[in-house]
Amino acid sequence: MAKSSSFIFSSESVGEGHPDKVADSISDSVLDACFAQDRFSRVACETLVKSDHVVIAGELTTKARVNFEEVVRAAIREIGYVNDDDVFHADKVFITNLLTKQSPDIAQGVDERKAEGKKHAKMGAGDQGIMFGYASKETPELMPAPVMFAHRLNRALARLRKSGARGTEWLRPDCKSQVAVRYEDGRPVAIENVVISTQHTADVSHRQIEKFCVDQVIRKVLPASLLSRRTEFLINPTGRFVVGGPQGDCGLTGRKIIVDSYGGMGRHGGGAFSGKDPTKVDRSAAYMARWVAKHIVASGAAERVEIQAAYAIGHPEPTSLHVDTFGTGKLSDERILRAVKRVFLFNPAEIIRQLDLRRPIYRASTHYGHFGKKGLPWETTSRLAAFRKALAR
């Protein structure tokens, strides 16, 4: 996508207590609980939260024996909905479990065996779809600056809230942030404005909230070199945010896909991540594409890159792969794609093997984006030497 030499780009993030993120967290907690006992579990768990109710629904194939009520309550408790005045409270919510066994029609398309009408014996993709991966040189995480800055703000709010430090007692779990960054010649040069909306108790003044968010959050976590007297701070712009979380709004798994990925800077195929095991390529292939994109930028082959992979349900190999360096490549996009194909395998079984995805790692991905965080396998550059060698061929 062509951009002018000067433009402003904004991205948002939401905190752990946002209703949609509460739902994502519960869905990924169910997935991890199954993987903790059975590494071959198949999970597609959707969650709805509203007021004092939680509904979990979807399909499972697993040998794990899971106390789902316990898992749900633990996820809510970890987020912080444990205050006496919380309508949505870890120990008081009503839970409806509508999880059932996975359809055999879907299972036979994924299973690594040759079934009637199936052309391949390899594991097939769990669904059709298009997935994108993105990387950019503009931050140490090789992520777009606006979304990484927005994530930092919410992470700092959660850390302060959970610390129990004096002067933070009024903070509550629901929050959102948004950061607008000015770019010159493709590089971030200034933060134009910062928006923070954080849930709070009724006994704190707006002035106190504003001062806290600017002094203890924004100025502590955003680069001072990008802030100036021109930077506008919009703190709780409605003036009041006491009722929040699932009490104030319905939450659903998978409604924050742009927050989960690149903040809108890279394209998105439309498939959500949370609650899905890695046979579902809308999760695992998006992780794979990010892993490869990160190698391309880390290798110095390009300053910015986007990868698209497309799949057909039941078919083991991607139906297409595409690399776009937006004119920043030191080599042609075609040459980079040839190197990618020499080093990385994109069929679902190999994605799972290369990234070691059959394990309970998914709750660590839920909050503050699935990309740009340490400790997740798709954020490593473990094949950098091999990739550089392939580029030189």
Side-chain angles (χ1 to χ4, degrees):
M1 152 177 24
K3 286 190 172 71
S4 63
S5 60
S6 177
F7 62 93
I8 298 172
F9 196 92
S10 298
S11 294
E12 73 158 342
S13 177
V14 298
E16 299 172 22
H18 185 281
D20 294 329
K21 273 295 143 195
V22 173
D24 284 343
S25 182
I26 292 170
S27 291
D28 276 336
S29 295
V30 168
L31 173 60
D32 275 2
C34 291
F35 267 142
Q37 298 181 41
D38 179 5
R39 62 190 300 265
F40 292 100
S41 296
R42 299 260 180 83
V43 178
C45 178
E46 311 291 343
T47 302
L48 178 149
V49 294
K50 179 60 183 131
S51 298
D52 58 352
H53 282 70
V54 176
V55 178
I56 52 174
E59 299 77 44
L60 301 178
T61 299
T62 183
K63 295 177 182 177
R65 298 174 65 87
V66 178
N67 184 329
F68 292 110
E69 179 175 330
E70 188 176 280
V71 169
V72 169
R73 296 190 190 281
I76 298 169
R77 189 174 297 110
E78 184 176 349
I79 290 168
Y81 282 111
V82 293
N83 299 290
D84 291 340
D85 57 348
D86 286 335
V87 171
F88 186 82
H89 190 290
D91 299 325
K92 300 173 184 176
V93 293
F94 297 93
I95 300 169
T96 301
N97 182 354
L98 300 177
L99 294 168
T100 62
K101 187 174 174 60
Q102 184 185 43
S103 161
D105 293 346
I106 296 175
Q108 78 168 6
V110 177
D111 290 343
E112 294 182 86
R113 66 175 186 273
K114 197 160 186 177
E116 183 181 354
K118 188 180 176 188
K119 296 181 179 179
H120 305 277
K122 293 181 181 178
M123 176 191 290
D127 202 352
Q128 73 172 48
I130 55 174
M131 298 84 203
F132 290 93
Y134 184 90
S136 171
K137 198 177 178 181
E138 64 195 64
T139 64
E141 300 91 349
L142 303 186
M143 286 283 288
V147 74
M148 290 308 296
F149 293 166
H151 289 325
R152 287 183 198 175
L153 296 172
N154 286 330
R155 190 181 285 114
L157 281 168
R159 183 175 64 250
L160 289 164
R161 172 173 57 85
K162 292 180 179 182
S163 73
R166 187 175 180 180
T168 65
E169 302 88 350
W170 53 269
L171 280 168
R172 289 295 182 261
D174 196 357
C175 60
K176 300 178 76 171
S177 64
Q178 186 169 289
V179 179
V181 176
R182 177 176 291 281
Y183 285 77
E184 300 283 352
D185 298 320
R187 289 177 170 77
V189 297
I191 295 174
E192 293 291 307
N193 56 68
V194 180
V195 183
I196 293 179
S197 294
T198 182
Q199 186 186 9
H200 57 86
T201 59
D203 57 354
V204 63
S205 70
H206 185 271
R207 187 179 184 85
Q208 183 180 345
I209 296 169
E210 190 172 41
K211 180 174 173 54
F212 177 89
C213 288
V214 172
D215 295 345
Q216 301 303 316
V217 180
I218 294 173
R219 295 196 182 280
K220 292 288 180 68
V221 304
L222 296 187
S225 60
L226 299 183
L227 296 171
S228 71
R229 285 179 295 179
R230 291 182 54 212
T231 305
E232 185 178 16
F233 302 133
L234 301 168
I235 311 301
N236 279 20
T238 66
R240 181 179 171 87
F241 187 6
V242 173
V243 177
Q247 180 186 0
D249 195 7
C250 179
L252 292 170
T253 301
R255 279 208 301 203
K256 287 292 174 281
I257 58 176
I258 299 302
V259 171
D260 287 346
S261 53
Y262 306 102
M265 186 71 80
R267 283 172 283 198
H268 197 293
F273 301 151
S274 290
K276 298 174 181 177
D277 75 82
T279 66
K280 281 76 171 176
V281 285
D282 39 7
R283 184 171 209 167
S284 57
Y287 291 169
M288 183 69 186
R290 162 63 178 171
W291 191 44
V292 175
K294 195 168 182 182
H295 276 80
I296 293 171
V297 173
S299 72
E303 293 190 5
R304 184 162 70 101
V305 67
E306 184 178 75
I307 295 177
Q308 186 203 59
Y311 292 85
I313 189 168
H315 191 74
E317 299 298 334
T319 57
S320 69
L321 282 173
H322 175 67
V323 169
D324 186 351
T325 62
F326 307 97
T328 70
K330 306 299 186 291
L331 306 168
S332 70
D333 291 356
E334 292 78 11
R335 186 169 171 181
I336 292 172
L337 180 58
R338 285 197 297 272
V340 165
K341 290 180 176 178
R342 290 188 188 110
V343 177
F344 303 97
L345 298 172
F346 276 79
N347 69 72
E350 287 297 334
I351 291 174
I352 291 170
R353 183 189 65 79
Q354 290 167 108
L355 295 176
D356 191 15
L357 296 178
R358 293 192 185 276
R359 51 196 174 115
I361 58 174
Y362 295 98
R363 284 173 60 207
S365 73
T366 311
H367 301 299
Y368 316 116
H370 290 240
F371 308 122
K373 294 189 290 193
K374 293 179 180 179
L376 298 172
W378 50 90
E379 289 300 314
T380 68
T381 51
S382 55
R383 295 196 177 180
L384 196 52
F387 185 63
R388 282 177 171 150
K389 186 176 179 180
L391 286 169
R393 286 175 62 180

